[in-house]
Amino acid sequence: MIRVGILGATGYAGQELVRLLLQHKEAEIVWYGSKSYIDQKFSDVFGNMFRIVDNICMGEDMDRLAAECDVIFTATPQGYCASLINEEILSKVKVIDLSADFRLKDVSIYEEWYKLTHPCPQFIEEAVYGLCEINRDKIKDCRLLANPGCYTTCSITTLYPLVKAGLIDPDTIIIDAKSGTSGAGRGAKLPNLFCEVNENIKAYGVATHRHTPEIEEQLGYACGKNVTLTFTPHLVPMQRGILVTSYAKLMPGVTSEDIKAAYEAAYKDEYFVRLLPEGTCPETKWVEGSNYVDIGFKLDKRTNRIIAMGALDNLVKGAAGQAVQNMNIMFGLSEQEGLRLVPMYP
Amino acid sequence: MIRVGILGATGYAGQELVRLLLQHKEAEIVWYGSKSYIDQKFSDVFGNMFRIVDNICMGEDMDRLAAECDVIFTATPQGYCASLINEEILSKVKVIDLSADFRLKDVSIYEEWYKLTHPCPQFIEEAVYGLCEINRDKIKDCRLLANPGCYTTCSITTLYPLVKAGLIDPDTIIIDAKSGTSGAGRGAKLPNLFCEVNENIKAYGVATHRHTPEIEEQLGYACGKNVTLTFTPHLVPMQRGILVTSYAKLMPGVTSEDIKAAYEAAYKDEYFVRLLPEGTCPETKWVEGSNYVDIGFKLDKRTNRIIAMGALDNLVKGAAGQAVQNMNIMFGLSEQEGLRLVPMYP
Amino acid sequence: MIRVGILGATGYAGQELVRLLLQHKEAEIVWYGSKSYIDQKFSDVFGNMFRIVDNICMGEDMDRLAAECDVIFTATPQGYCASLINEEILSKVKVIDLSADFRLKDVSIYEEWYKLTHPCPQFIEEAVYGLCEINRDKIKDCRLLANPGCYTTCSITTLYPLVKAGLIDPDTIIIDAKSGTSGAGRGAKLPNLFCEVNENIKAYGVATHRHTPEIEEQLGYACGKNVTLTFTPHLVPMQRGILVTSYAKLMPGVTSEDIKAAYEAAYKDEYFVRLLPEGTCPETKWVEGSNYVDIGFKLDKRTNRIIAMGALDNLVKGAAGQAVQNMNIMFGLSEQEGLRLVPMYP
Amino acid sequence: MIRVGILGATGYAGQELVRLLLQHKEAEIVWYGSKSYIDQKFSDVFGNMFRIVDNICMGEDMDRLAAECDVIFTATPQGYCASLINEEILSKVKVIDLSADFRLKDVSIYEEWYKLTHPCPQFIEEAVYGLCEINRDKIKDCRLLANPGCYTTCSITTLYPLVKAGLIDPDTIIIDAKSGTSGAGRGAKLPNLFCEVNENIKAYGVATHRHTPEIEEQLGYACGKNVTLTFTPHLVPMQRGILVTSYAKLMPGVTSEDIKAAYEAAYKDEYFVRLLPEGTCPETKWVEGSNYVDIGFKLDKRTNRIIAMGALDNLVKGAAGQAVQNMNIMFGLSEQEGLRLVPMYP
């Protein structure tokens, strides 16, 4: 059994980790870490866990964590994970960080977009960006994993094969993304109140959202040059789900078949990526509760653009699910262990 | 492997059966029956099942069903299951009926409340009412199982131990129930449109709802005499979940400890019934996607009444989950097989 | 023009007062009071008011308020209004209090249920309970008006005529109430987050909710004796709306016609009370945004009970609308001025 | 008093016309037309109208309508209005058509996108496209008014000034639009059920939505040449509201001030267009129930694109409100009569 510690277990992503790991045959949660609820029963914080989890929330004693765990998940605010790790910790325990601390290779871009000084830039180089379908080989042996963001996973999975195959012009990429409200976390903030979110839709972080450089960096690897794109997130009155609607100019002569072939080359054997029949638009409800990304596309012949769409559950494939998938890869388990979840409908 | 046929697989309850059985280790669905979608791919009807279920929807050939299945679930309209079965069918295959056809022992009450002539009253006697926690022993050997309704499961589970222990006056029982909209089915009806249900709450079927006699009959068994009660269902703008708030006069001298003791006597070893700490009110969100019933209560000393509350997921413990639980009992499997579902939150 | 001051203008009820008064021909808001947003533009707090309200939020200078206003609405926490008023203030300006400070005539009951020491019990006697349809005559000349609570308005309006006419047994009254989330206010609290409220229903304050004694007091006046009842509120995933489903035993021989006659005697000339055709259940959506209370009922002959139901918009008839209606009465205006609002659907 | 007839009064847009006209001082509805509910009380179809509207739904007797009305609103399916009108009708009564029959000047484009043969193309030329803020002068004297679509009003209002002033490259325009579900109408269709829409977001009609050529035609007038653009609508789990997020390349050297100046030149005196402070993103909730369009924008300097956003209530400014605004202009009334609606929040 893999002994798991979770820091930030009482956020939405942390709690989803708990839900998934409880159904995982090879893992056992031994540490429910939560700054805000130390010494309280985990199931008093999340009533759904009543009689399922009896544990008490604990603090962040990294020495004990490193000694008692095989892997630590950090579902914590930006800068927090980076402030905890050091060579000794990493020599004893693997770390899967759900924050952004190790996602960007260029520390100056991290510090510019996140307005933070990075506490341990020396580990950035070794950290592996954990988009499983793209970086599987590097993930296998890593000890510090940067779990991708929710918007990013959806955007990159949707666009990577097209950029890599040179089918679209990267300079024309526009990503219009829509997210459920759990992506905003469980903090008690006025804009996330039911009465503010319900019956409402709005864009936010326009031209400044922190997931932008992460998408640009990864798509840059796909085409071997810098990519600059427009990314606009929106808040939608639903709990879970991200839908990405992305737009780009097709390169001359590119056909629907070319697009299909590029997607199939990339994903035909991937369990967690579902390529929808042509003309079918993905819906967030079809992946709710599961680790799938659904991808669909349509060519707009009148404008020679592609509209490429992806949908996932932000708490699963966009956070906790992918983190478990990464753990499975890092520990040599079946990649699907604990993640063969049938989406719940309705 | 138990070979399972489902009639009505393309309703919400039918589809939930599919979701649950796909995660069941000892069962295999061999027949996806659906009158409305014959010859269509099941995953074209429910996009969440894309690449998970490849089967085509089929009709209702009972001879083939009886030959090819070990058990048939009928998630079909009232009167339909009763029109299909006969001695020969029942001699070959077990039937778990999610409709109301075999729930009421008195056929005249069935015909009065459902405005239908019962096509095969001769099987009513043998049918077992499948509220697992109460009728487990009878369920084991039955071949025709009447799976309880969603409101009923929640109401009876909440009140049965109190009535049985003589702690409340059955003549004073009032049940005010609230249900998510999936309980209304997937038919394209105006009152179930998003714009009609959203931002709205209303009672319906006041003093006439068909689940009333079913609750009365079962509570009658608990106290050994006829029970007549008031039951009022409400439609709530959510997908899943039933909350029952029930009221009754306490018998003289009854204390909070008595109530607790009665609940514990009934449910302390039950995996799927969670007795909440005193004063905690159950919430439908805490059981979403799972087979749990959460029960809480409060004494109102000023009026000498108890307010007893139960919450469940209408599609799981209120329909498909309990049906699978019954199947497990009927086939001698672990009762929890396929049903160790951690509630999804948020 | 009536010069209006509002304290607590940046809560949901306060903002609704603004919405209504902006459409009122004889009133002008001269003071937007808000402790939390002093010196900020009101329209920065509520984006819907952009270019409609240019005012800045101000504090609570009671001397200036008394000098510059004809009436002050206090949409403030319990105890706050009572801490501000005194004989001098009341001699200069009328006060309409949307909190509970002056609703209960027995100060000991107030202090028991609200866990507060009442700062000026000497004004309780003179305060008029502003349920317009019942107390219209007393409201006319009052200078201190206690605006009823949202649950209370709905409960009392639904039950008062039946209790008064002696058609039901007051000792058997049970009120099961359901409220939209705006009733919980605009404070940034975890239980009111979208992800906590959405897809959820729960009871709260069972047997202890503060609106209970207010309902009991008023129904006590109706029948001339003490009334003790059970009141259970529930939180529903919608913004606005209260539905009350109330239950009581009918007195011997009472018929449907008797009930109808009692309601008509009470409300047939009331503009804001709509008696629905028999058998029609009120829905909160039908009154959204308006000052109506819709009332329906059904007799349950099997149990000799009545199920009496009322629906209103908690921010309008349950708060700001009734407050404006009271202002209209107090200032001798048409009672409907500013309140002829057609419910918005969907 | 202007005598108004409404055909299609029992759809959502028709009912919203009723709501608005009931609060209009110079208009009186004399004909509630509805194919589906002939001879039924209007308030039996829409419970919110109980005791407000006593009228019975009637058919489509155009001779009587022309004789008894000064203006007819047709909130009917495509092709229907065009099948009813002729020279005699138009000589007697003004027609405001909320369908698409007379919005496109090129009948072949209409027939291509709508898959219909136009029954009376001879009136297309004279029909005036009723986007009030742009075509006010032509609207004044017209007798056949084509009321713009919901997506179109929002898209054109947002982009017209930028295209007209030559600040953006029309060939790069991408419109990503999000709509509440009332835009899909009140037909009892499976995809509009609560359980299908709730907790879901999806694109639909990708590259083929019928509002595309309408937007292109109007923006073409703005720049004096053909415009071809990408338009993608999405269905959002809310009742009302449209948000348009549009993208375009800035022409060389264009600054934020240029954009602001163009918007102000176009809208600074417009009552119903609210230009938000720079950097503020419009939200649909801020305009709910009102006739406002809120516009905001942001320059993305990294990509030299503008993100221009507009929000409106699809049933008001996107349908019934603009229709009433057009009526006001056509009859020489104050343009704001009946439309000074304060948005309802929350």
Side-chain angles (χ1 to χ4, degrees), chain B residues 93-124:
Chain B
V93 63
K94 288 174 189 280
V95 172
I96 297 177
D97 177 25
L98 281 77
S99 85
D101 287 0
F102 298 99
R103 292 178 191 158
L104 299 167
K105 287 297 172 206
D106 184 337
V107 69
S108 67
I109 292 182
Y110 174 87
E111 299 192 337
E112 179 193 338
W113 288 77
Y114 287 88
K115 316 290 178 208
L116 290 171
T117 303
H118 200 293
C120 58
Q122 69 273 24
F123 292 112
I124 292 179

Side-chain angles (χ1 to χ4, degrees), chain B residues 171 176 178 195-196 198-201 216 230 232 234 238-239 245 247 283 285 302-303 305 345, chain C residues 171 176 178 195-196 198-200 216 230 232 234 238-239 245 247 283 285 302-303 305 345:
Chain B
D171 290 337
D176 189 284
K178 298 91 177 167
C195 288
E196 308 289 315
N198 192 42
E199 280 292 300
N200 198 16
I201 184 166
E216 290 177 343
T230 296
T232 313
H234 296 76
M238 58 186 194
Q239 300 164 180
T245 315
Y247 303 87
E283 310 190 14
K285 206 178 185 69
R302 302 167 62 255
T303 61
R305 288 195 187 100
Y345 194 97
Chain C
D171 290 337
D176 190 285
K178 295 92 177 166
C195 287
E196 306 291 315
N198 192 42
E199 279 292 300
N200 198 15
E216 289 177 343
T230 296
T232 313
H234 296 76
M238 58 185 196
Q239 300 164 180
T245 314
Y247 303 88
E283 310 190 13
K285 207 177 183 70
R302 302 166 63 254
T303 61
R305 290 197 186 98
Y345 195 97

Side-chain angles (χ1 to χ4, degrees), chain A residues 3 62-63 65-67 69-72 84-95 123 126 141-144:
Chain A
R3 297 164 304 159
M62 282 305 279
D63 291 335
L65 270 159
C69 301
D70 300 305
V71 61
I72 301 171
L84 292 179
I85 65 163
N86 54 46
E87 184 53 40
E88 205 196 327
I89 298 291
L90 286 180
S91 70
K92 293 184 185 160
V93 64
K94 288 174 188 281
V95 172
F123 293 111
E126 101 163 78
D141 304 310
C142 86
R143 52 180 199 168
L144 174 55

Side-chain angles (χ1 to χ4, degrees), chain A residues 200-208 232-234, chain C residues 47, chain D residues 243-245 274 276-286 294-298 307-311:
Chain A
N200 198 16
I201 183 167
K202 64 173 176 187
Y204 65 97
V206 179
T208 60
T232 312
H234 296 76
Chain D
L243 180 72
V244 153
T245 314
R274 303 194 295 190
L276 300 179
E278 206 176 340
T280 301
C281 295
E283 310 190 13
T284 58
K285 207 177 182 70
W286 289 347
D294 280 5
I295 294 179
F297 73 93
K298 186 89 187 253
I307 297 99
M309 296 161 281

Side-chain angles (χ1 to χ4, degrees), chain D residues 156-331:
Chain D
I156 299 169
T157 308
T158 302
L159 288 168
Y160 195 95
L162 309 183
V163 173
K164 191 168 183 198
L167 301 177
I168 60 174
D169 176 357
D171 290 338
T172 64
I173 295 173
I174 289 170
I175 300 172
D176 191 284
K178 296 92 177 164
S179 173
T181 307
S182 60
R186 212 189 185 206
K189 293 175 193 155
L190 191 149
N192 299 334
L193 291 180
F194 181 84
C195 288
E196 307 289 315
V197 171
N198 193 41
E199 279 292 300
N200 199 16
I201 183 165
K202 63 173 177 187
Y204 65 97
V206 180
T208 59
H209 193 276
R210 297 159 164 193
H211 282 184
T212 312
E214 191 179 330
I215 303 169
E216 291 178 341
E217 180 178 327
Q218 297 299 319
L219 294 185
Y221 298 142
C223 62
K225 58 172 189 173
N226 283 344
V227 170
T228 310
L229 52 76
T230 296
F231 171 74
T232 312
H234 296 76
L235 189 68
V236 179
M238 58 185 195
Q239 299 165 181
R240 288 171 177 247
I242 282 183
L243 180 72
V244 153
T245 314
S246 59
Y247 303 88
K249 277 280 176 192
L250 294 167
M251 299 305 277
V254 169
T255 65
S256 183
E257 283 65 41
D258 298 333
I259 301 292
K260 222 155 108 178
Y263 275 132
E264 279 178 1
Y267 299 133
K268 118 173 127 337
D269 298 326
E270 291 295 343
Y271 183 87
F272 292 119
V273 182
R274 303 194 295 190
L275 301 173
L276 300 179
E278 206 176 340
T280 301
C281 295
E283 310 190 13
T284 58
K285 207 177 182 70
W286 289 347
V287 295
E288 195 168 331
S290 81
N291 201 46
Y292 292 111
V293 192
D294 280 5
I295 294 179
F297 73 93
K298 186 89 187 253
L299 298 202
D300 183 359
K301 288 187 184 152
R302 302 167 62 255
T303 61
N304 201 36
R305 290 197 185 97
I306 185 171
I307 297 99
M309 296 161 281
L312 53 70
D313 184 323
N314 59 304
L315 293 180
V316 191
K317 184 64 177 171
Q322 184 153 250
V324 170
Q325 191 181 351
N326 276 310
M327 180 191 81
N328 288 340
I329 300 175
M330 289 159 79
F331 285 84

Side-chain angles (χ1 to χ4, degrees), chain B residues 318-329:
Chain B
Q322 184 152 251
V324 171
Q325 190 181 352
N326 276 310
M327 179 191 81
N328 289 341
I329 300 175

Side-chain angles (χ1 to χ4, degrees), chain B residues 15-211:
Chain B
Q15 188 264 160
E16 187 73 353
L17 271 171
V18 174
R19 178 175 83 93
L20 299 179
L21 290 169
L22 287 171
Q23 305 180 78
H24 192 289
K25 279 196 219 85
E26 315 272 349
E28 179 191 15
I29 307 172
V30 299
W31 191 286
Y32 291 79
S34 168
K35 257 191 161 164
S36 319
Y37 296 97
I38 292 183
D39 292 339
Q40 294 186 43
K41 285 192 70 170
F42 185 73
S43 64
D44 285 348
V45 184
F46 286 103
N48 56 325
M49 295 299 179
F50 178 65
R51 268 203 17 208
I52 300 175
V53 176
D54 277 332
N55 302 57
I56 300 293
C57 294
M58 302 170 76
E60 65 187 64
D61 182 333
M62 283 304 279
D63 290 335
R64 275 190 60 195
L65 270 159
E68 298 177 15
C69 300
D70 299 307
V71 60
I72 302 171
F73 292 89
T74 51
T76 44
Q78 317 308 335
Y80 188 81
C81 174
S83 74
L84 293 179
I85 65 164
N86 53 48
E87 184 53 40
E88 204 195 327
I89 298 292
L90 285 180
S91 70
K92 293 183 186 162
V93 63
K94 288 174 189 280
V95 172
I96 297 177
D97 177 25
L98 281 77
S99 85
D101 287 0
F102 298 99
R103 292 178 191 158
L104 299 167
K105 287 297 172 206
D106 184 337
V107 69
S108 67
I109 292 182
Y110 174 87
E111 299 192 337
E112 179 193 338
W113 288 77
Y114 287 88
K115 316 290 178 208
L116 290 171
T117 303
H118 200 293
C120 58
Q122 69 273 24
F123 292 112
I124 292 179
E125 181 56 32
E126 102 162 75
V128 174
Y129 187 75
L131 218 163
C132 315
E133 283 73 15
I134 289 171
N135 277 352
R136 187 173 284 122
D137 286 339
K138 293 187 197 154
I139 294 165
K140 278 176 191 160
D141 305 309
C142 86
R143 52 181 199 168
L144 173 56
L145 188 124
N147 205 59
C150 50
Y151 282 126
T152 358
T153 298
C154 201
S155 302
I156 299 169
T157 308
T158 302
L159 289 168
Y160 195 93
L162 310 183
V163 172
K164 191 168 182 197
L167 302 177
I168 59 175
D169 176 356
D171 290 337
T172 64
I173 294 174
I174 290 170
I175 301 173
D176 189 284
K178 298 91 177 167
S179 173
T181 308
S182 58
R186 212 188 184 206
K189 294 176 192 154
L190 193 147
N192 298 336
L193 292 180
F194 182 84
C195 288
E196 308 289 315
V197 171
N198 192 42
E199 280 292 300
N200 198 16
I201 184 166
K202 64 174 177 187
Y204 65 97
V206 179
T208 60
H209 193 278
R210 296 159 166 193
H211 283 183

